[in-house]
């Protein structure tokens, strides 16, 4: 039995049947303006990026995704834990799994945009400040339509979505 199972949960790859549960998990955070809402179709499109945590009865209690932004750079997205499971290691286990997945993809840096600065700091993330990328890569990234890339680059057009959030990065 794994350490997480001893704590009463396990982390696994997300399945299509998990999408309604993922939406249910993130909805309170969307309503509190902590996370940006995603249409159900976007969750299905990004499903292979997601991992979920479930309790031993099979209930979804956490979710998170890692999205590739560039050859060495990914973003932690939609990390959420059910209120009743906060403080019990679920967020830590989810982030640990996402970092493992990121390393397996060949990424050496992970970005996140978050209000949960203390949580991510405890896991090795640091405030990016005004850090960016080489001008050549910056110009390539500008071509992306992905909002996460725009948030990483700190573009003016996403400022309303990012107010109060901290741009953080971790070198794996």
């Amino acid at each position: 039995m794994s350490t997480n199972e001893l704590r009463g949960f396990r982390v696994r790859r997300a399945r299509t049947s998990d999408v309604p549960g993922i939406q249910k998990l993130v909805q309170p955070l969307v309503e509190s303006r902590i996370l940006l809402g995603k249409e159900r179709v976007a969750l299905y499109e990004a499903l292979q990026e997601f991992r979920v945590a479930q309790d031993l009865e099979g209930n979804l209690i956490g979710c998170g995704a890692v999205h590739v932004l560039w050859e060495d750079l990914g973003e932690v997205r939609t990390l959420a834990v059910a209120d009743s499971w906060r403080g019990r290691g679920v967020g830590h286990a989810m982030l640990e799994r996402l970092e493992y997945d990121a390393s397996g993809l060949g990424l050496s840096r992970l970005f996140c945009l978050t209000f949960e600065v203390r949580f991510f700091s405890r896991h090795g993330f640091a405030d990016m400040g005004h850090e960016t990328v080489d001008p050549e890569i910056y110009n390539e990234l500008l071509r992306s339509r992905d909002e996460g890339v725009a948030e990483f680059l700190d573009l003016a057009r996403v400022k309303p979505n990012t107010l109060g959030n901290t741009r953080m990065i971790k070198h794996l």
Side-chain angles (χ1 to χ4, degrees):
M1 188 173 262
S2 75
T3 303
N4 291 338
E5 288 174 320
L6 291 173
R7 290 186 196 158
F9 67 91
R10 68 185 196 101
V11 177
R12 64 167 172 79
R13 182 180 280 291
R15 302 180 191 120
T16 55
S17 59
D18 294 324
V19 168
I22 291 170
Q23 275 193 310
K24 185 177 176 183
L25 268 174
V26 301
Q27 191 56 41
L29 299 170
V30 170
E31 290 170 4
S32 300
R33 299 181 51 95
I34 292 169
L35 290 177
L36 289 176
K38 289 185 170 69
E39 297 294 330
R40 186 173 288 198
V41 67
L43 291 173
Y44 281 114
E45 290 171 344
L47 191 66
Q48 68 278 7
E49 300 175 351
F50 273 85
R51 299 295 179 259
V52 294
Q54 66 181 105
D55 66 19
L56 299 181
E57 288 79 46
N59 302 305
L60 241 50
I61 59 168
C63 65
V66 64
H67 179 77
V68 175
L69 299 179
W70 193 249
E71 70 180 308
D72 66 331
L73 176 67
E75 180 184 8
V76 173
R77 292 184 170 179
T78 320
L79 186 58
V81 175
D83 280 342
S84 61
W85 280 85
R86 285 186 173 222
R88 294 171 64 184
V90 177
H92 170 79
M94 292 294 309
L95 187 55
E96 191 173 71
R97 176 61 185 267
L98 296 174
E99 289 177 5
Y100 175 82
D101 291 346
S103 292
L105 290 167
L107 303 177
S108 59
R109 297 179 298 157
L110 273 180
F111 161 75
C112 69
L113 182 68
T114 186
F115 289 106
E116 300 294 334
V117 173
R118 285 181 9 156
F119 171 80
F120 281 97
S121 292
R122 284 194 316 267
H123 293 88
F125 284 75
D127 188 327
M128 282 181 59
H130 298 292
E131 179 184 330
T132 61
V133 294
D134 311 332
E136 185 178 311
I137 294 171
Y138 184 91
N139 287 329
E140 287 286 333
L141 289 172
L142 281 176
R143 295 179 182 149
S144 175
R145 295 175 189 228
D146 187 278
E147 289 300 296
V149 172
E151 291 164 349
F152 172 76
L153 296 175
D154 204 23
L155 300 180
R157 70 179 170 80
V158 295
K159 291 288 187 195
N161 295 338
T162 63
L163 290 176
N165 280 295
T166 301
R167 295 167 57 242
M168 301 185 81
I169 194 133
K170 179 176 182 174
H171 296 270
L172 302 176

